[in-house]
């Protein structure tokens, strides 16, 4: 009689979570899948209906006030400025934040990111400038990077710098999640290559929450966790095609952190210490760990925060215990970085 091997144990694609959280995650996936057109464009009208932005609030919400500021009227490029309320008389450190969404989705006014930036501002006693960069596929590489870097230049211009609350731009931190963390990395590189041209802005740290990097190969985590919440191989491939220049593959500097162009500036002393966040249920985790190793190989100070039970974008769901823990870790990083 032939020997029958026991069936392979199925890979668990997500940690235990409530039905409410599952429904929220399903809605996030539906938002991206339902608005993609066959011709590679996005139905922005439907997306605006599914992801209605929330207005800024001069009246504090959860202890944080916000207002929108105009960075570049020619584009126009805007950002949302969050700060603890009542406004501090002591200058606040500034977190320049870039939202996720695969370079193509969501905005600074999306409910999830408005709430996330409020939590960062409240926990860290910092101002948060959330940049509403241009999105793909209408605006491909390098538009998002150009907009993000323009926000840093905006903070360096005393004529444009908001006066209330007072901001300590000598203590700037770059932060983002997923595609936003990718943007934060490339802005840190650009800053490092041109730090001497900034009069007052000093970038003191980089917070890369589950950064969106990739390559042509399929990593073990991508294969093992394909179908996990939020991120799938098919969605990621579509987002890279939407963002990268026509004809480019995922060895391009925007996607592949180890490409020579993507490493330019990392060797500079002005490239800041980094915190890199990795989740155990994130299909992108192998790329994120490689990014950590890359920075360390260049002599950079890197703190790796691993959350074994975290899905991609876990921190925008405050019901996860890991979300609160990450806020406290970011607070410690900002407070401890001079």
């Amino acid at each position: 009689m032939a020997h029958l091997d026991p069936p392979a144990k199925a890979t668990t694609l997500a940690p235990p979570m409530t039905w409410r959280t599952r429904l929220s995650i399903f809605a996030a996936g539906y938002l991206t899948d339902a608005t993609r057109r066959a011709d590679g464009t996005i139905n922005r009208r439907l997306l605006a209906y599914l992801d209605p932005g929330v207005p800024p609030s001069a009246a504090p919400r959860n202890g944080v006030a916000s207002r929108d500021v105009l960075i570049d009227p020619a584009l126009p490029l805007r950002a949302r400025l969050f700060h603890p309320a009542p406004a501090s008389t002591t200058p606040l450190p500034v977190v320049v934040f870039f939202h996720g969404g695969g370079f193509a989705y969501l905005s600074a006014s999306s409910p999830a990111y408005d709430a996330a930036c409020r939590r960062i501002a409240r926990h860290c006693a910092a101002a948060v400038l959330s940049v509403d960069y241009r999105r793909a596929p209408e605006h491909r590489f390098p538009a998002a990077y150009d907009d993000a870097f323009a926000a840093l230049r905006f903070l360096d211009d005393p004529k444009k710098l908001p006066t209330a609350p007072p901001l300590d731009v000598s203590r700037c931190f770059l932060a983002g999640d997923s595609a936003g963390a990718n943007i934060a990395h490339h802005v840190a590189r650009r800053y490092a290559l041109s730090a001497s041209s900034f009069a007052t802005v000093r970038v003191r740290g980089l917070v890369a929450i589950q950064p969106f990097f990739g390559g042509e190969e399929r990593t073990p985590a991508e294969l093992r966790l394909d179908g996990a919440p939020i991120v799938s191989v098919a969605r990621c491939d579509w987002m890279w095609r939407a963002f990268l220049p026509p004809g480019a593959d995922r060895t391009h500097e925007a996607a592949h952190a180890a490409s020579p162009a993507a490493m330019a500036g990392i060797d500079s002393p002005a490239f800041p210490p980094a915190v890199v966040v990795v989740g155990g249920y994130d299909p992108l985790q192998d790329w994120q760990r490689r990014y950590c190793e890359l920075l360390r190989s260049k002599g950079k100070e890197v703190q790796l925060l691993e959350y074994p039970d975290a899905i991609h974008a876990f921190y925008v769901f405050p019901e996860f215990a890991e979300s609160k823990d990450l806020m406290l870790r970011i607070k410690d990083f900002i407070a401890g970085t001079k």
Side-chain angles (χ1 to χ4, degrees):
M1 184 176 181
H3 173 71
L4 298 177
D5 292 327
K9 186 178 180 179
T11 299
T12 302
L13 298 178
M17 61 184 80
T18 67
W19 279 107
R20 180 178 179 180
T21 303
R22 289 182 184 275
L23 185 61
S24 297
I25 290 170
F26 172 80
Y30 178 80
L31 182 146
T32 58
D33 295 341
T35 55
R36 292 201 309 261
R37 295 190 179 107
D39 64 358
T41 62
I42 292 175
N43 186 333
R44 293 289 177 195
R45 181 176 296 181
L46 177 58
L47 183 61
Y49 175 77
L50 295 175
D51 180 44
V54 297
S57 176
R61 291 206 300 258
N62 296 323
V64 175
S66 65
R67 70 178 186 274
D68 289 342
V69 298
L70 186 61
I71 292 176
D72 184 347
L75 291 176
L77 174 62
R78 296 181 173 85
R80 182 160 292 183
L81 180 65
F82 301 83
H83 63 85
S88 171
T89 57
T90 302
L92 298 171
V94 182
V95 177
V96 185
F97 181 85
F98 312 108
H99 66 81
F103 304 103
Y105 291 92
L106 307 174
S107 71
S109 65
S110 291
Y113 283 109
D114 184 88
C117 288
R118 287 180 189 280
R119 290 199 299 274
I120 294 172
R122 185 172 66 252
H123 282 287
C124 300
V128 178
L129 186 71
S130 181
V131 182
D132 214 6
Y133 57 85
R134 289 171 291 171
R135 292 164 295 175
E138 298 90 341
H139 304 283
R140 294 175 177 266
F141 169 91
Y145 300 160
D146 292 343
D147 292 354
F149 195 68
L152 213 55
R153 290 292 188 192
F154 170 82
L155 291 174
D156 200 50
D157 187 341
K159 295 179 181 178
K160 298 179 180 178
L161 190 65
T163 56
L167 305 179
D168 182 2
V169 296
S170 71
R171 295 192 63 225
C172 269
F173 295 81
L174 303 173
D177 73 300
S178 195
N182 174 300
I183 293 170
H185 163 75
H186 287 284
V187 173
R189 288 198 312 104
R190 287 193 182 187
Y191 168 80
L193 290 169
S194 58
S196 62
S197 68
F198 283 84
T200 55
V201 164
R202 297 293 181 268
V203 175
R204 304 296 184 182
L206 166 64
V207 180
I209 305 170
Q210 300 175 291
F212 184 26
F213 292 116
E216 284 299 293
E217 68 173 289
R218 300 301 186 197
T219 68
E222 285 176 314
L223 296 173
R224 183 177 72 252
L225 293 170
D226 192 27
I230 306 294
V231 169
S232 69
V233 168
R235 284 176 185 159
C236 289
D237 286 355
W238 186 93
M239 289 169 179
W240 286 125
R241 287 195 300 272
F243 179 64
L244 295 176
D249 63 21
R250 294 185 301 274
T251 62
H252 186 272
E253 64 181 272
H256 198 53
S259 70
M263 290 192 291
I266 296 178
D267 287 331
S268 168
F271 190 93
V275 170
V276 180
V277 180
V278 175
Y281 286 95
D282 186 352
L284 301 176
Q285 62 186 275
D286 292 338
W287 295 113
Q288 294 155 6
R289 290 194 182 90
R290 290 184 192 181
Y291 174 59
C292 257
E293 293 165 3
L294 171 67
L295 294 182
R296 285 173 174 161
S297 73
K298 297 296 182 179
K300 298 294 122 176
E301 180 183 341
V302 184
Q303 181 181 357
L304 174 62
L305 298 181
E306 297 217 39
Y307 293 97
D309 292 329
I311 62 171
H312 191 79
F314 71 94
Y315 85 108
V316 302
F317 300 96
E319 58 267 37
F320 287 128
E322 294 87 348
S323 177
K324 174 67 175 296
D325 183 81
L326 178 57
M327 292 295 155
L328 297 176
R329 300 295 190 98
I330 296 173
K331 173 186 175 182
D332 291 343
F333 179 62
I334 291 174
T337 303
K338 303 300 182 183

